[in-house]
Amino acid sequence: MSELLDVVVVGGGLVGGLTSLLLAQGGVQATVLDAAPILDADRVIATLNPRVLALSQASMHLLKTLAVWPLIQRHMPYSAMQVWNKNGYGEINFGQASAQRPNAAQSLGAMVEPSLLNLAIQQKMLTEIKDYRTQVKVVAIQQLPEGWLIQLADGTSLRTKLLIGADGAQSFVRTQAMIDLDVLDYQQAGVTCAIRTAEVHQHVARQIFLDTGPLAYLPMASLDPAQEGHWQSIVWTLPDDFADEYAALNDCEFCQLLSRESHYMLGEVLEATPRAKFPLKARAAKHYVKNGLALIGDAAHVVHPLAGQGVNIGCLDAAILCDVLLHDLQRGVWAHEQTLKRYEHQRKGHNDAMMHSMSAIGWLEGQTLFPWVWARNFGLKQVEQQPMLKDLFMSGANGLFALADTRYAARPSL
């Protein structure tokens, strides 16, 4: 029989990598099984990824704690958010627009290309994780009386006391562990690409609710310093048939359509990269844990991209799971059933609430009957006029509250 390992993490992306690095920082070396290859750093850095992830202050704090943040080759901080409805008077503004690049104290978060984030995580794992395996395919997982058996395509078998599934929305770990999944099909798709606009973004993340669905303009870094401030990544939520039609337009037609539908909020759209399209489905695992097993990130939940929080709640999963594991390890306990249930208790309710609230907001924004339109616009206006409500929204969005009682709490600077 093979050696009984303390922990195996399946998935070496942002959430899986973050988990393994947090554990290593706490003195626990995980075996990491990553399906992806070693990335070509020069190629990744030289290629503009048309999609960005909106990292919260909590996610940035965790990456800085692990010294991953300095390895990210480019990012775009944002200092303000603006949300409004095309057909109403309601509007919410957070923060302040900034012509100059905002500093850490001014920024609400940062937009980072996922390819650059994955590169930085991988570079750190290559130096910190002793058993980091790439291009690995897991073909079977079986629960044992003590721990789990993992079989790889090359014939290798591993046994572990704790198996962490960080292998995405189509999680093989979740399927093999026979954990059921609730799925809500929005019958919508997200269309994404990078665009260059006539006017600069002033470090503001913008989202307008159109009749077809929300359209987000997310400021992003440029490969060309002369065009800095003019590039955005868009996420346009559309009914499936609209998404098919818009994704198939040529660049000129798409730029004209986007300029018009966005109400020229940053002037003409001058350039667009090829579009990508992905179906929108909310997913929630019935359970996050079993004896000796935990799901994190998209393996446990997928929320609507409406608020851009999917990646951030995955980072919080990693932090909370590592915190409870390392807390109990100090008492001589590792991956006890009650430890894992404590993680599930702290995260599942919050994540389910996020999923349902995003679904509810999306539904409300799609209503055209006067009572719903009035209620929606009245609610937006009330939040805009109440500083305490806005602060409450921002404290929830930045994620720092979830870290407050953990070893990863952000301490105020002296």
Side-chain angles (χ1 to χ4, degrees), residues 183-333:
V183 179
L184 174 60
D185 188 345
Y186 293 110
Q187 298 187 341
Q188 295 175 320
V191 173
T192 64
C193 68
I195 62 170
R196 182 168 62 90
T197 55
E199 299 175 15
V200 294
H201 51 62
Q202 293 191 306
H203 303 94
V204 179
R206 297 170 171 86
Q207 183 162 258
I208 179 173
F209 285 91
L210 305 172
D211 293 337
T212 49
L215 167 63
Y217 272 32
L218 307 175
M220 67 184 302
S222 171
L223 290 176
D224 182 356
Q227 297 178 353
E228 192 70 20
H230 290 272
W231 280 92
Q232 339 274 321
S233 174
I234 71 160
V235 180
W236 197 349
T237 300
L238 294 160
D240 287 331
D241 52 347
F242 279 76
D244 292 338
E245 177 186 347
Y246 291 0
L249 294 173
N250 64 42
D251 290 350
C252 181
E253 292 171 332
F254 185 78
C255 288
Q256 291 175 352
L257 172 70
L258 189 58
S259 299
R260 184 173 65 251
E261 288 297 301
S262 70
H263 290 220
Y264 298 90
M265 61 181 169
L266 287 176
E268 292 278 355
V269 177
L270 305 175
E271 186 177 351
T273 62
R275 270 75 66 201
K277 181 170 65 73
F278 56 94
L280 296 180
K281 296 181 181 181
R283 305 170 189 266
K286 293 285 185 71
H287 305 285
Y288 285 10
V289 302
K290 293 185 76 168
N291 191 19
L293 180 144
L295 301 177
I296 56 176
D298 286 355
H301 48 73
V302 176
V303 301
H304 196 288
L306 188 65
Q309 287 297 309
V311 64
N312 296 311
I313 61 178
C315 290
L316 291 175
D317 289 348
I320 299 302
L321 177 60
C322 291
D323 184 65
V324 297
L325 287 170
L326 294 173
H327 177 270
D328 283 2
L329 181 62
Q330 293 174 340
R331 303 187 299 115
V333 178

Side-chain angles (χ1 to χ4, degrees), residues 380-402:
L380 285 172
K381 188 174 182 180
Q382 289 303 302
V383 172
E384 174 65 17
Q385 294 176 347
Q386 299 293 327
M388 289 184 63
L389 281 177
K390 292 178 73 172
D391 289 345
L392 185 63
F393 272 95
M394 286 308 302
S395 66
N398 68 32
L400 294 173
F401 75 97

Side-chain angles (χ1 to χ4, degrees), residues 47-101:
T47 304
L48 184 71
N49 192 312
R51 180 168 165 252
V52 295
L53 300 174
L55 296 185
S56 67
Q57 291 177 355
S59 297
M60 293 168 59
H61 169 70
L62 291 169
L63 292 169
K64 290 174 181 177
T65 298
L66 293 166
V68 172
W69 188 254
L71 300 177
I72 298 174
Q73 294 296 315
R74 59 179 175 268
H75 68 277
M76 180 58 67
Y78 63 98
S79 59
M81 292 188 295
Q82 182 182 16
V83 181
W84 74 102
N85 192 286
K86 171 187 174 183
N87 297 321
Y89 60 85
E91 181 177 321
I92 304 178
N93 294 276
F94 300 97
Q96 297 291 329
S98 175
Q100 303 300 320
R101 190 179 180 92

